[in-house]
Amino acid sequence: MLFRSQNFTHLGHKRLFERAGFTVEECGVCVGPAWAVATVVAAFVFQYTPRLLHWPARAAWYVFSNLFVRPLDRWLTPRPDAYVVASTTYVLLSKPA
């Protein structure tokens, strides 16, 4: 069984599902920290820039983040601490027979 969740640490996954009788086989990051930061900044730009600059600022951030920020996930996602800022994590479970 594959379960996706947001804002869970690996220890949180382990405790939650082991108490429910599952065995945690693996856990990790689905959507990395760079993507999470890029998305938060995009929301900030969209929400708080003056109306006149709203769309140009959003377009500029979109281009910049897709070229320079989000590609960092290839390097950041494998890190053991990537879940701290990651957008989405996963846990691979098995149910004992």
Side-chain angles (χ1 to χ4, degrees), residues 12-35:
H13 275 141
K14 187 173 176 146
R15 286 181 179 165
L16 176 70
F17 291 108
E18 285 180 349
R19 287 179 187 160
F22 291 93
T23 301
V24 176
E25 302 293 338
E26 179 183 338
C27 55
V29 172
C30 293
V31 182
W35 192 92

Side-chain angles (χ1 to χ4, degrees), residues 4 6-7 10 14 23 27 29 31 34 36-37 51 54-56 58-61 66 72 79 82-83 85-86 94 97:
R4 288 186 178 176
Q6 294 185 339
N7 301 325
H10 297 317
K14 187 173 176 146
T23 301
C27 55
V29 172
V31 182
V37 169
R51 187 175 278 286
H54 185 77
W55 290 107
R58 189 172 184 198
W61 176 250
N66 280 319
L72 293 174
R79 292 175 50 117
Y83 71 90
V85 180
S94 62

Side-chain angles (χ1 to χ4, degrees), residues 42-60:
F44 181 86
V45 167
F46 186 79
Q47 187 69 33
Y48 297 109
T49 54
R51 187 175 278 286
L52 183 61
L53 298 175
H54 185 77
W55 290 107
R58 189 172 184 198

